Structures are given as C-alpha cells and as structure tokens.
Amino acid sequence: MNSSALLHLLVVLVQLWPCSHSMQKSSAQNTVQSFTAVRRVKRGWLWEPLFATEEQISRDPVYIGQLKSDLDMQDGNLKYILDGEGAGSHFIIDEHNGKIYVTQKLDREKKPFYMLRAQAINRSTQLPVEPESEFIIKVRDVNDNEPQFLDGPYVATVPEMSPEGTSVTQVTATDADDPSYGNNARLLYSLVQGQPYFSVEPKTGVIRMASQMDRETKDQYLVIIQAKDMVGQPGAFSATATVTINLSDINDNPPKFQQRLYYMRVSEEAPVGTTVGKVFAEDSDIGDNAAMDYFIEADSSDAFSIITNNETQEGIISLKKRVDYESKRRYSIQVKAVNRYIDERFLKEGPFEDTTIVKINVEDADEPPVFTLENYVMEIVEGAMSGALVGVVTARDPDEDDSPVRYSIVHSTHLKRLFSINEHNGAIIATEPLDREIASWHNITVTATETRNPEKISEANVYIQVLDVNDNAPEFPKNYETFVCENTVSGQLIQSISAVDQDDSAEGHHFNFSLAQEATNSSYFTVKDNQDNTAGIFTVKSGFRRQEQFFFYLRILIQDNGTPPLTSTNTLTVTVCNCDTEVNTLYCRYGAFMYSLGLSTEALVAVLACILIFLVFFLAVVTIRQQQKKQTPFSEKMEEFRENIVSYDDEGGGEQDTEAFDISALRTRTVMRMHKPRRKVASEIQSLYRQSLQVGPDSAIFRQFISEKLEEANTDPSVPPYDSLQTYAFEGTGSLAGSLSSLGSTTSDTDQSYDYLADWGPHFNKLAGIYSSHRTVGD
C-alpha cells in the first residue's frame, strides 16, 4: 500500500471513529433486535449503512447502498460478488461499482434482517483483492399490521353495587410491527361502547367501574374496547374486542310479601299436621342471598306452625294442635320472613325482613262425641253383687245441635262379659261378682255414638280395679312331709311351717299359728309361733313306737290379720320312722305306703315276686311268637293277601304273544312255591271249552269244572290257610276258537297235542300247520 492510500484510510477512520464506537456500544445492548446499519471498515472494505424498507418495491430494483474497496481505482478492474441470504433473489449487486439493489418486497415480520457476504476480485487474475466480509441488511419496519386481541371474546364478573374505579378485567392487544422503531406498535385503548358505566385505561387496557350498578336493574353489559396503533395518530390501524360483563348478586334487597293480608281456613276435623296454607315473600336477590326463614310471632296463636320450603322459598302453615269451632272460630297470626344470610354492609339500608297478617277461619264439622276424660279409672269391691254400680262415663256432642249420645261397651267375642253399660246415662254395672284373686284389673272400651249420625263414634278406655276383701283364709304353701324318729327326744324341732294368703293386705300379711284345741295329738307335739309368719313343730314327749301308731295328724290353726280376720285349719301328717341317727325319708315313705295298705313286709315281697314271675313268662311268650313269625312261609305282607282278590281275565295272544298279561304278577316272592306234579288237564280244558260253545255257566259241565278246581285248591297244602277267592274266566259261547289263555302254557309242548286246532276252521289253518302233529318236515 502506498503512502497516499494509507493517508486516505487514516482520514476515513478518524472521521468514522465516533460513529463506529457508538454502534458497537449499541450492539452490545441489543444484539439482534436493533440492527442499526452503519459504515464499517475492515481492512480495505468501505460501505455505507444498508437499510431496506419493507413493502417498498416498484418495477425497477431499489437502491439501498454501496460496497466499495479502497483499492478500487474505478478502472473496471475489480469485480464485486454478493453471497448469503437472499443474494440473487431478493438482493443483487452491480459487479462494477458495488451498488446493492432490492428486487422483491420484504416483510420485516417474517425476516427482519439478512446476513450477506461481499467479495472483490481482480478481473484479470481472478484473485480476491479483499478478504470476504460479512455484513447485515436490516429491513426497516412500516406500519402494515393491525392490532389483534388474541384472548377475546372476554367474559368478566363483578359484584353489583361495586364502587367507582373497581377493576373489572384487563384486555390486551398485540401488534406484529416493530416496537423499537417509531410508533407502529404503540397501542392506545379506548371505549367504543359501555359508557357511562365503565371506563378503560388507555395504555394498560384495564376496564374499571365508572358508576355503581344494580343487578336487579340490569345484570349483564356488553362493552366494546378499541385498540389503535401509532398512538392513535391518523392512518393508524385499529381492532375491537367485546367484553361481556356480568353483575354478581349481593344481598342488598330484603324480602317482601306479595300480600299484606292472607285469608285461610281449616276444618275443625283436620288432624295435627294438616297444611292450612302457604305464604310467599319475594326477594329480588338470587341464590343464598334470597334464602329466607319464616316465623310466627310469639304473641300469635300457638295452634299453628310454619316451616320454610327451601326449594320454593314458601312458608307452609300447618296445624300444630286441633282446633274447635265451638271454642274459637277465627285466628289471626303474624308471619315474619327474614333473610337467612345478612350482608352487614347493607344493614344501614334497613332490616332485611318483612311481616304479613294471616287470618284463619275454623270451619264447623260434624264431630263425634267427646268424652270428659280420655281414660277412666274406676273401682269396685270384689264379691259385689250382680248389678252393682262401677262408675259413670260421660260424653257430649261438641256441635251446636248437641245430638243425644248412646253408650255401649266393645265386647270381645272370646271373653266373658263381666260388665254392662246403660246406653243413655253411661252407668257401668257389674253383671256378676268379681274375684280379685282371679283378675285384679279389667280393661274395657266404651263407645259413644251420636243418635242422629251413627257414623260419628268416639272411644274411651275404662280401667276397673277390683278392690280386695279378706275372703281367703291362709293355708300351707305346700304339702309338708314331716317325719319323726322313734328315738326322738322331747323338745326337738321336726318341721318349720309357713302360710300364704291370696288376699292383698295393705299393711302386709301377719299370720298366727296355733294347735287346734280338739287335737288329739296335743300331748305328743306342740306349735311355737315365731311371730315372723313362720312356726315350728316340736315334740312334747320322748320315744315313739311304729307298732303302736304309724301316723300322727296335727290340726293347725292359721289366722290372718284381715278385717275381719279369717282362720283356717290345716292338717299336718307326721310319719314315725324307724331310724337310729338320721331320718331315711325313702324308707319312711315305703313304710307309710305299706301301712296304708295294711300289708306286712313279707306280703309285699310275695306280691313283688309274683309280678316278677309274670313278667318273665310274658317275655318268653313274646319271644317264642316272634320266632314262629320268622319261620312262617308267609311274609309280613300276608295281611295284604287277605284283602286282595286276584282276577285273571286276559285271553292272551297265543304262545308267541310276548306282550300279553304277565301272570307272574300274581305270584309274589313270599308265596312262590314248588308246584306238585299235577295231572294233565290240558285235554280236559280243551274238552270243556269245546262243550262251552254249546252250554252256559249254569250247565252241569261248568259246575263240575268249578267243583274240581275248588277241590284242588282245598287239598293243596301250599295255599294260605284262610279263605281266599279263586277266579276263573268263562269265555262263553261266542267264539269258535274257545279260550286262548296261556294258563296251560307251563306244560311242555311234548305233553300236549294240538291236533284239535285243525277243527277250529279256516282262520286257524296256519296255526294248526305249525303246531299239529301231522305237519310235515317241509312245513
């Protein structure tokens, strides 16, 4: 490099140093987003700032800057080459002077800058005169994008009656233009629709309440927000967003009754719990803010109650207790409706409650008679004579016409009728004397019926107590078994006794025990009263002899403390035992039994021996009979044969009929026996059957056949030894073939001739050919 060229380069560096230093500092702060194109110097390269404005294009390429080497003598010896992003398509370079042109429209939002490389070569040598250098072409932004609300449409909710300035929501718009270049992406928000209720902050898009609003007046608003770029300057682009703002409810309204006066009615027959009517208080609020409770003022009638229907928010008035038309015909109650949930912020607005008056008229109804008491308790002394008055029940018709009442007792069908009632005055009387010891209480049901309307009936329970009188004398609680030994000494306790009394003593029972004055055994025993409802029997003398007297009968008097007192005589039997040190009660009972029969011990032993011999003999007889029963040729089912009549009346189908009646059913397992050899009767039967074609059952031949069969049965030792019925079939005279019964089939074909089949006619030719003795071998 010559001195003139070096001097020129230094001058350029001095001139560009401030600008270059400032550019480097700015690039450090914002690397990609602020590509400020400046003149750069690298070795021998020199170029102007390069900017390409987007959307700026015409038919001819647009010049955007020039690259130049300080070695360029402008003699055309250097050639400039451009390479990198968009080279040849979006950007071209004049190879002679290094000027760069844009040939297509650029979109900064798609690509904000391009990285290119420049090179200068010598045309003659084709060698680079400058090293390859990289530079940036920045796309300069223009306002070609509209703002956009990407999150719309918006929905927001704010409580009603919120104070002015309350934030509702925030809307945000975006702009694709370069926010660092000019005002293209600087947005300004404004309210298109929604005044005067709302406002919007111009820079932030925050929507605020501009006034207090009542949900009950209007619960939803439609607000339109506009966003403009270029800070709203002329020519700016804009976009709008819709914001639906709902007012949520707060409890700022008290309940209000629709009517200030309600009229209702209820029948005096209505049972407790009957719904009388409904009241309703309106509340402009919704949800829990409209929930309310209904009350009846304390000074109102206590005959009614009210509950709240949480679904309909109605107050339901019901009957708390029965009402009576004749006693009170009209009620006036005051009902209050109170909000269930109160917002303290609005207490100053007044009480959140309302009241109304409900007038209820009682309707008259034909009521059944009414007893003066629900339950009657009466008393009667036991043993009172039939017709004695027990008590009186009273009922009246509560209606104005005061219909007469007829009384009756509901009698059970399975119980004895002990009481009756006067149907006119309700007097209950006993139909027979009562015994308290059988039943101390009687429960009956009395009805009262209107004579003018028998359907109107009412009932009352009557409890009748039978009062006790001292009509039962005391007695022993059980039968005492008292024993005394022969060696007993004087003054020995042999029995403790007590007493029971079926009567009921108000002061408690107290019994006195004593020995009857007429007792013949007073010299042997004495009674000592313990004054605690018990007494002891003691011996008076020492030594007793069974041979002299086996039993002693003590007549003991027991007196109660009733009014008047009753006394009973109870006999205590004392048995003398033959004992040494202790009483053997079993032996004493045995001796007492023998003594009562008048038998001695020897006689009793003889009787027992006879009984034993009889039992042994009886068992032996039973055993022998059972053995004989097992040896009999007839089974335990023999009784069945005594009652059955076996009848065989089946003609059969011949020797080849296998489905004919099976006579084996006539033979049971128990009566099967070996048949003795009998004379051949086939020929006789055949002869009789042939003759039967000409004679009837009353003929001598038929009677002879029956007699022979009877004689044969009587002489047969294998038949049962009791009466039986033998049945024989008589075919009659209607068949030329006679009987085809298989009764004789047990005989062998070799013992019987079937030549007679040839005489039966043409219908039996084939059968005769099979069984006839004259058949040939060819047959």
Side-chain angles (χ1 to χ4, degrees):
M1 183 180 295
N2 54 24
S3 59
S4 60
L6 181 59
L7 179 60
H8 178 72
L9 179 59
L10 291 175
V11 172
V12 173
L13 289 175
V14 170
Q15 292 176 350
L16 296 178
W17 170 252
C19 181
S20 177
H21 180 73
S22 176
M23 179 60 194
Q24 293 176 0
K25 184 177 181 181
S26 175
S27 297
Q29 296 175 351
N30 195 347
T31 58
V32 179
Q33 288 76 8
S34 58
F35 295 101
T36 304
V38 297
R39 184 181 302 158
R40 289 186 178 182
V41 178
K42 287 188 177 181
R43 296 183 181 178
W45 281 107
L46 178 66
W47 60 81
E48 297 293 332
L50 301 179
F51 293 98
T53 304
E54 66 174 334
E55 303 295 335
Q56 181 181 359
I57 194 66
S58 62
R59 294 182 179 180
D60 299 327
V62 177
Y63 171 77
I64 60 173
Q66 182 181 11
L67 298 177
K68 189 176 181 180
S69 174
D70 57 354
L71 299 178
D72 189 0
M73 299 302 175
Q74 296 182 358
D75 56 0
N77 192 32
L78 293 181
K79 180 182 179 180
Y80 295 94
I81 299 174
L82 187 65
D83 192 12
E85 296 177 342
S89 59
H90 293 81
F91 306 98
I92 60 175
I93 189 171
D94 190 338
E95 63 179 10
H96 299 286
N97 54 23
K99 292 183 179 180
I100 300 174
Y101 299 89
V102 177
T103 61
Q104 296 182 10
K105 284 186 177 181
L106 303 177
D107 189 352
R108 189 203 66 84
E109 285 70 39
K110 293 183 179 179
K111 192 169 181 61
F113 60 89
Y114 294 84
M115 301 290 295
L116 295 115
R117 297 182 299 276
Q119 190 176 15
I121 62 174
N122 190 302
R123 290 180 183 271
S124 299
T125 64
Q126 293 298 315
L127 296 175
V129 297
E130 295 286 355
E132 187 181 67
S133 181
E134 187 179 67
F135 64 95
I136 297 174
I137 298 178
K138 184 177 181 181
V139 181
R140 183 173 292 169
D141 183 50
V142 296
N143 190 20
D144 59 345
N145 290 280
E146 297 178 354
Q148 292 183 351
F149 289 95
L150 301 178
D151 298 331
Y154 296 88
V155 178
T157 302
V158 63
E160 64 172 330
M161 305 303 293
S162 295
E164 183 178 349
T166 301
S167 174
V168 179
T169 187
Q170 182 179 14
V171 296
T172 302
T174 60
D175 196 318
D177 293 325
D178 188 1
S180 63
Y181 181 77
N183 297 324
N184 294 340
R186 295 181 61 186
L187 303 179
L188 188 67
Y189 298 95
S190 61
L191 196 65
V192 177
Q193 178 180 314
Q195 301 89 350
Y197 309 108
F198 303 95
S199 63
V200 62
E201 292 183 356
K203 294 183 179 181
T204 62
V206 176
I207 301 175
R208 298 185 181 276
M209 301 286 290
S211 62
Q212 286 189 337
M213 287 172 287
D214 190 1
R215 188 202 63 83
E216 288 71 36
T217 302
K218 186 177 181 180
D219 61 352
Q220 189 178 83
Y221 292 85
L222 197 64
V223 177
I224 298 177
I225 304 296
Q226 184 183 63
K228 280 188 175 183
D229 58 11
M230 295 183 66
V231 200
Q233 296 177 3
F237 293 107
S238 64
T240 59
T242 301
V243 183
T244 302
I245 301 177
N246 297 311
L247 297 182
S248 61
D249 184 59
I250 61 174
N251 192 9
D252 59 341
N253 292 281
K256 294 291 182 182
F257 279 102
Q258 293 178 329
Q259 300 174 220
R260 287 301 165 189
L261 186 61
Y262 289 85
Y263 290 97
M264 300 178 185
R265 57 186 179 179
V266 62
S267 173
E268 64 175 340
E269 284 186 324
V272 174
T274 301
T275 298
V276 179
K278 300 178 181 180
V279 296
F280 179 67
E282 289 183 329
D283 194 320
S284 300
D285 299 322
I286 59 175
D288 290 342
N289 294 326
M292 65 188 72
D293 294 313
Y294 293 89
F295 303 95
I296 294 179
E297 295 291 349
D299 56 349
S300 300
S301 173
D302 59 350
F304 304 93
S305 62
I306 189 169
I307 61 174
T308 303
N309 187 329
N310 293 324
E311 295 182 359
T312 62
Q313 293 299 314
E314 293 177 315
I316 303 175
I317 300 175
S318 60
L319 196 62
K320 188 176 180 181
K321 68 178 184 178
R322 296 287 294 270
V323 293
D324 185 15
Y325 174 82
E326 287 71 28
S327 301
K328 190 173 183 179
R329 303 183 179 183
R330 185 175 293 104
Y331 293 86
S332 179
I333 60 176
Q334 187 173 1
V335 178
K336 178 188 294 185
V338 181
N339 267 139
R340 189 174 300 169
Y341 308 104
I342 304 297
D343 194 334
E344 296 181 356
R345 295 176 299 173
F346 301 98
L347 286 177
K348 61 181 180 180
E349 303 294 334
F352 282 77
E353 60 184 42
D354 195 18
T355 58
T356 187
I357 302 299
V358 180
K359 294 187 177 293
I360 303 174
N361 294 326
V362 180
E363 295 180 340
D364 188 22
D366 189 4
E367 299 176 275
V370 178
F371 282 95
T372 55
L373 296 175
E374 294 183 0
N375 299 300
Y376 291 85
V377 179
M378 300 178 181
E379 297 177 348
I380 184 174
V381 177
E382 70 171 324
M385 299 298 295
S386 176
L389 178 65
V390 180
V392 179
V393 297
T394 304
R396 66 175 184 84
D397 183 9
D399 300 318
E400 290 182 342
D401 55 0
D402 194 12
S403 174
V405 176
R406 182 180 292 109
Y407 301 94
S408 63
I409 295 178
V410 180
H411 292 286
S412 178
T413 56
H414 62 281
L415 295 179
K416 189 176 181 181
R417 300 184 179 182
L418 302 177
F419 305 94
S420 64
I421 190 170
N422 188 308
E423 67 175 7
H424 300 292
N425 58 20
I428 300 175
I429 59 177
T431 58
E432 62 180 53
L434 303 177
D435 188 353
R436 189 203 68 85
E437 284 69 42
I438 297 177
S440 60
W441 284 91
H442 296 274
N443 304 332
I444 61 175
T445 301
V446 178
T447 62
T449 307
E450 287 186 14
T451 56
R452 299 175 186 174
N453 187 0
E455 294 182 356
K456 298 300 179 180
I457 303 175
S458 59
E459 295 182 350
N461 295 320
V462 179
Y463 304 98
I464 301 174
Q465 183 181 16
V466 181
L467 300 179
D468 183 51
V469 296
N470 194 21
D471 57 347
N472 290 278
E475 58 186 0
F476 284 154
K478 62 180 181 179
N479 292 325
Y480 291 102
E481 288 186 319
T482 306
F483 304 96
V484 61
C485 293
E486 289 181 316
N487 57 357
T488 301
V489 298
S490 176
Q492 184 173 345
L493 175 66
I494 63 172
Q495 183 68 57
S496 293
I497 60 174
S498 61
V500 293
D501 194 333
Q502 296 182 8
D503 294 323
D504 185 17
S505 175
E507 299 178 356
H509 289 292
H510 182 70
F511 304 114
N512 295 318
F513 301 88
S514 61
L515 197 63
Q517 295 180 357
E518 68 275 10
T520 59
N521 302 303
S522 59
S523 60
Y524 294 92
F525 304 96
T526 184
V527 176
K528 181 182 179 182
D529 194 338
N530 299 325
Q531 300 299 318
D532 60 354
N533 292 337
T534 65
I537 308 299
F538 293 85
T539 58
V540 176
K541 59 172 288 186
S542 300
F544 294 86
R545 292 182 59 82
R546 297 172 70 242
Q547 289 78 7
E548 296 178 359
Q549 187 171 354
F550 207 93
F551 297 106
F552 291 93
Y553 300 99
L554 301 182
R555 298 175 60 81
I556 299 176
L557 300 179
I558 307 176
Q559 185 182 50
D560 61 17
N561 60 336
T563 304
L566 293 181
T567 303
S568 66
T569 301
N570 300 265
T571 301
L572 182 67
T573 301
V574 181
T575 305
V576 179
C577 295
N578 184 12
C579 51
D580 295 331
T581 58
E582 59 182 16
V583 178
N584 190 327
T585 57
L586 180 62
Y587 179 77
C588 284
R589 291 193 187 98
Y590 159 73
F593 175 72
M594 294 299 299
Y595 180 79
S596 63
L597 295 178
L599 298 177
S600 63
T601 304
E602 293 78 5
L604 181 61
V605 171
V607 171
L608 292 178
C610 292
I611 294 175
L612 181 59
I613 293 172
F614 175 77
L615 289 176
V616 172
F617 176 76
F618 177 76
L619 293 175
V621 172
V622 171
T623 303
I624 294 172
R625 294 196 64 178
Q626 287 181 349
Q627 291 178 354
Q628 291 177 351
K629 205 170 188 181
K630 292 180 180 179
Q631 295 174 358
T632 181
F634 306 105
S635 69
E636 65 277 2
K637 296 184 178 179
M638 185 65 70
E639 295 298 330
E640 299 179 2
F641 292 97
R642 298 179 182 177
E643 304 298 333
N644 294 340
I645 298 177
V646 180
S647 175
Y648 179 78
D649 195 14
D650 187 10
E651 186 174 69
E655 292 294 328
Q656 295 181 350
D657 186 6
T658 60
E659 296 181 358
F661 181 78
D662 186 6
I663 64 173
S664 63
L666 301 177
R667 301 170 180 165
T668 63
R669 178 177 55 83
T670 58
V671 299
M672 290 294 291
R673 56 191 178 272
M674 295 298 294
H675 292 278
K676 69 177 183 176
R678 298 185 182 182
R679 57 177 177 161
K680 297 179 180 179
V681 297
S683 59
E684 297 179 4
I685 295 175
Q686 295 165 7
S687 175
L688 290 174
Y689 278 130
R690 288 168 184 167
Q691 296 177 19
S692 68
L693 298 177
Q694 307 297 329
V695 297
D698 297 331
S699 66
I701 297 174
F702 186 80
R703 290 196 298 272
Q704 180 183 355
F705 173 76
I706 297 300
S707 299
E708 291 178 358
K709 295 301 176 183
L710 180 61
E711 180 64 23
E712 184 179 316
N714 290 335
T715 59
D716 189 354
S718 62
V719 298
Y722 44 77
D723 293 341
S724 62
L725 179 63
Q726 303 293 331
T727 303
Y728 301 95
F730 181 73
E731 191 171 279
T733 61
S735 175
L736 295 177
S739 175
L740 296 179
S741 173
S742 59
L743 286 174
S745 61
T746 57
T747 62
S748 175
D749 291 342
T750 59
D751 299 332
Q752 184 174 353
S753 175
Y754 295 95
D755 294 339
Y756 60 87
L757 294 175
D759 301 332
W760 286 3
H763 296 289
F764 295 91
N765 288 339
K766 187 174 182 179
L767 188 62
I770 296 174
Y771 289 95
S772 175
S773 61
H774 301 290
R775 64 182 183 274
T776 62
V777 178
D779 296 338

